[in-house]
Amino acid sequence: MSSNTSLTGRTHDSPRPTGWVLPVVTVLGVAAAIVAAFIGSGALGGTAINEAADGALSADATPIAPAGAAFGIWSVIYVGLIAYACWQLAPVARRSPRQRAVRPWALASALLNAAWIWTVQLGWLAVSVLVIAALLAVLVRLVFLLRTPRTGGIVEMTVTDGTFGLYLGWVSVAFLANTYAWLVSAGVDLFTRIELGVAGIVVAAGIAVATTYLSGGRVAPALATSWGLGWVAAGRTEGTYESPELVWTAVLAVIVVLAAAVAVRQMRAAEPAVT
């Protein structure tokens, strides 16, 4: 028997499993946050988010508001969060230093999302901007932590990297849309102008490109941002803010974001391995 292997067959240098407290708290916290978000979203007959706060977040409220169908991505994110919360209880996840670092941030992201929904329902748009800014910061930190090596194979890649990558990409768009909604509702007419809409789309694309680079070329954030910007383009084909300039800016932004993800992945793949 090898000198660094115990009678149980476990190597002495393998990480010990995390205790059950934080994984179980993560499950309960994510479950509670999703239930709160589900209720707060109006899914059970209450006020829908796009109708709350006097319609400030409706699909036609600002020049960069995504069309209503864009919000269907939340179903995918919530399913991913549920899958993540369950998987992180597994032995391979409880032994993973990567998951030990991620858990608190994953829990914080779910709680902040629920908090954001309720601030909107209460009509506290200024507060909702602060909450979604905090959520964006948490997700940026979380995806940065995910640059460390995986131990859970394709399952971990799907439920952790995939879920939180989509989450970050979508929230990047939602943060700007929320900010514009708050400013327009506060009477800042400057943010109803087409030029400012174009600027907002460019900023969203810039955030996505920066995220792609910092995350090592991850595809999920780019896909979610592209999804959001694509629905911004769709929303600007009709209604109050119908504008060819906004449509084409959003379409070009989608192309740039996806091209950046491909370019960064190829660049990283071409880098020599460190020996």
Side-chain angles (χ1 to χ4, degrees):
M1 182 179 297
S2 171
S3 61
N4 66 342
T5 304
S6 69
L7 294 176
T8 63
R10 182 182 297 160
T11 57
H12 292 311
D13 57 357
S14 63
R16 285 189 172 188
T18 298
W20 284 101
V21 175
L22 184 54
V24 170
V25 168
T26 300
V27 170
L28 295 177
V30 169
I34 289 176
V35 170
F38 186 72
I39 295 171
S41 68
L44 298 181
T47 304
I49 286 294
N50 62 352
E51 297 174 0
D54 297 323
L57 294 173
S58 68
D60 202 32
T62 72
I64 64 168
F71 295 89
I73 196 173
W74 276 118
S75 298
V76 179
I77 293 171
Y78 287 149
V79 169
L81 285 173
I82 293 168
Y84 164 77
C86 294
W87 177 81
Q88 57 92 38
L89 293 171
V92 66
R94 292 194 302 113
R95 282 195 295 270
S96 168
R98 185 182 198 242
Q99 291 300 322
R100 187 177 298 118
V102 162
R103 276 188 193 92
W105 299 94
L107 177 57
S109 74
L111 295 174
L112 282 168
N113 176 58
W116 176 81
I117 287 174
W118 283 102
T119 57
V120 173
Q121 288 288 6
L122 292 169
W124 300 344
L125 280 180
V127 178
S128 75
V129 171
L130 295 176
V131 173
I132 201 169
L135 174 57
L136 179 59
V138 165
L139 290 170
V140 168
R141 173 60 178 164
L142 199 156
V143 171
F144 181 81
L145 290 172
L146 291 177
R147 295 185 64 175
T148 54
R150 291 187 296 268
T151 57
I154 193 169
V155 176
E156 181 177 10
M157 181 178 69
T158 302
V159 303
T160 304
D161 300 63
T163 295
F164 292 107
L166 291 176
Y167 202 173
L168 171 60
W170 170 249
V171 169
S172 298
V173 176
F175 165 70
L176 286 167
N178 194 170
T179 302
Y180 272 59
W182 164 53
L183 292 168
V184 170
S185 69
V188 185
D189 292 337
L190 181 66
F191 285 85
T192 65
R193 295 173 58 178
I194 300 301
E195 307 92 285
L196 264 292
V198 169
I201 293 170
V202 171
V203 170
I207 292 173
V209 171
T211 299
T212 295
Y213 180 78
L214 292 174
S215 67
R218 294 184 185 277
V219 174
L223 289 176
T225 298
S226 298
W227 168 270
L229 291 174
W231 284 108
V232 170
R236 301 291 77 77
T237 59
E238 59 182 3
T240 305
Y241 295 103
E242 179 179 351
S243 166
E245 293 89 346
L246 291 172
V247 171
W248 285 110
T249 301
V251 169
L252 289 173
V254 169
I255 294 171
V256 168
V257 169
L258 294 177
V262 172
V264 173
R265 286 185 70 85
Q266 290 180 338
M267 181 179 66
R268 292 298 172 91
E271 290 178 354
V274 178
T275 59

